[in-house]
Amino acid sequence: MNIPNQHIDLPLLREKGIQLYLKREDTIHPFISGNKYRKLKYNLLEAKKQGKDTLLTFGGAFSNHIAATAYAGLEQGLQTIGVIRGEELVHKWQSNPTLKLAHEHGMRFHFVSRSDYRLKNEPSFLQNLKERFGEVYLLPEGGTNALAVKGCSEILTEEDATFDYICSAAGTGGTAAGLIHASLPHQTVLAFPALKGNFLLDEIRTFVQHERWQLITDYHFGGYAKVDQQLIAFINLFKHETGIPLDPIYTGKMLFGIFDLVKRGVFAPGTQILAIHTGGLQGIEGMNRILKKKNLPLLEI
């Protein structure tokens, strides 16, 4: 699968002598875009190999993974069940664009409280789900497991060998782990977490064999799904200048971080950077509903 690398030619980059390219993984598929396509690829094959006819997975109200899994199941003839964080959504999920889309693609929902959702990796919690729904194929939250990392390692191709840095947003760490696994000895992978904290260090290390990578933890904007007017302005300006839409949860924060690092002179002149656009554009509509309620500027679609 040949995904194009789009050259980002903007004044700051020219001034600093930096070459930045964006791998347009968001163009892979209209519903299973970016890293979600990569993470699901080998898991879908494994589910069929095991003879399972139902995928069960986990996510929040605006989860890209939930939306992608629903469509992937529909496309592959598999049933899908989403364990959704937040009991308050039981009677109002129809007004949530992500959940509405997932339901239209055949996903059934099982809503749980936030306290119960924290138990999603506990054997007893998973056993209760299996007793309720039968012999399902379990996909973790965000889709990250060894098979997902294998799929994400295919993002990089031989043509990407010229780059010095590979940059990706990080949620559960699977995409970054795949990139680290596929990177070459002269390359450094920079992972920009969308959540607070350094906990992804241990998550990523379970899948990788070397330390040619770093977590860049300064650009989460307050935590998962948190945004401010500065980030919104950056995303809208980037779309105006390049024609490329960015999601506010992952890729928008990563690119904000890259440009800030460039501005601060972290990268030497002549550095070549490849950033991965991991998709997630379906979440813009839901984010705009939140921004509208807060009387904040909206993201351009």
Side-chain angles (χ1 to χ4, degrees), residues 56 58 83-85 110 112-129 138 140-141:
L56 185 146
F58 308 82
V83 178
I84 309 299
R85 179 181 64 247
H110 176 57
V112 299
S113 66
R114 281 166 168 73
S115 57
D116 284 349
Y117 190 84
R118 296 189 193 100
L119 305 175
K120 60 185 178 296
N121 296 320
E122 296 295 326
S124 59
F125 184 79
L126 296 175
Q127 183 58 37
N128 288 337
L129 289 175
L138 282 171
E141 181 183 41

Side-chain angles (χ1 to χ4, degrees), residues 67-191:
T69 301
Y71 195 88
L74 177 67
E75 198 170 68
Q76 297 293 320
L78 299 168
Q79 298 181 56
T80 55
I81 299 168
V83 178
I84 309 299
R85 179 181 64 247
E87 286 178 315
E88 72 277 4
L89 294 165
V90 172
H91 301 297
K92 57 181 182 180
W93 63 263
Q94 294 92 338
S95 62
N96 176 291
T98 299
L99 298 182
K100 185 172 182 290
L101 183 67
H103 184 264
E104 288 171 355
H105 292 152
M107 179 173 277
R108 291 180 285 154
F109 300 131
H110 176 57
F111 296 96
V112 299
S113 66
R114 281 166 168 73
S115 57
D116 284 349
Y117 190 84
R118 296 189 193 100
L119 305 175
K120 60 185 178 296
N121 296 320
E122 296 295 326
S124 59
F125 184 79
L126 296 175
Q127 183 58 37
N128 288 337
L129 289 175
K130 287 186 175 182
E131 289 174 2
R132 181 180 184 123
F133 296 110
E135 282 301 311
V136 297
Y137 184 85
L138 282 171
L139 279 169
E141 181 183 41
T144 289
N145 56 17
L147 291 174
V149 172
K150 179 182 178 181
C152 288
S153 70
E154 296 177 353
I155 292 172
L156 297 180
T157 68
E158 292 180 1
E159 296 173 355
D160 301 326
T162 58
F163 293 101
D164 304 300
Y165 289 90
I166 311 295
C167 298
S168 174
T172 53
T175 303
L179 294 169
I180 293 165
H181 178 75
S183 64
L184 298 173
H186 69 277
Q187 296 177 322
T188 300
V189 175
L190 303 181

Side-chain angles (χ1 to χ4, degrees), residues 258-293:
I258 291 172
F259 274 83
D260 188 56
L261 295 176
V262 168
K263 191 183 302 180
R264 289 162 46 197
V266 171
F267 301 112
T271 298
Q272 297 195 63
I273 302 169
L274 178 64
I276 313 300
H277 193 318
T278 51
L281 300 177
Q282 66 83 27
I284 292 177
E285 183 182 351
M287 177 58 74
N288 275 342
R289 293 188 182 190
I290 295 172
L291 295 174
K292 190 174 183 179
K293 288 179 181 177

Side-chain angles (χ1 to χ4, degrees), residues 205-221:
R205 283 186 177 129
T206 62
F207 295 109
V208 302
Q209 305 298 317
H210 65 78
E211 293 291 324
R212 297 189 305 274
W213 58 279
Q214 299 174 38
L215 277 190
I216 308 298
T217 58
D218 300 326
Y219 303 100
H220 52 69
F221 285 85

Side-chain angles (χ1 to χ4, degrees), residues 14-62:
R14 291 196 298 270
E15 176 192 333
K16 297 289 187 178
I18 306 298
Q19 292 289 317
L20 174 63
Y21 285 79
L22 189 61
K23 188 175 284 290
R24 297 294 306 276
E25 291 278 299
D26 59 304
T27 63
I28 287 179
H29 189 284
F31 296 109
I32 319 170
S33 72
N35 60 344
K36 300 310 177 189
Y37 179 95
R38 304 289 188 178
K39 288 181 174 182
L40 287 167
K41 177 181 175 180
Y42 290 108
N43 275 292
L44 292 170
L45 292 173
E46 182 63 20
K48 290 190 172 185
K49 180 181 176 182
Q50 293 182 15
K52 303 290 176 65
D53 62 4
T54 303
L55 307 173
L56 185 146
T57 196
F58 308 82
F62 299 103

Side-chain angles (χ1 to χ4, degrees), residues 9-11 234-244 259:
D9 184 22
L10 294 175
F234 171 81
I235 290 172
N236 286 339
L237 180 61
F238 188 86
K239 185 173 187 296
H240 176 74
E241 292 182 330
T242 67
I244 303 171
F259 274 83

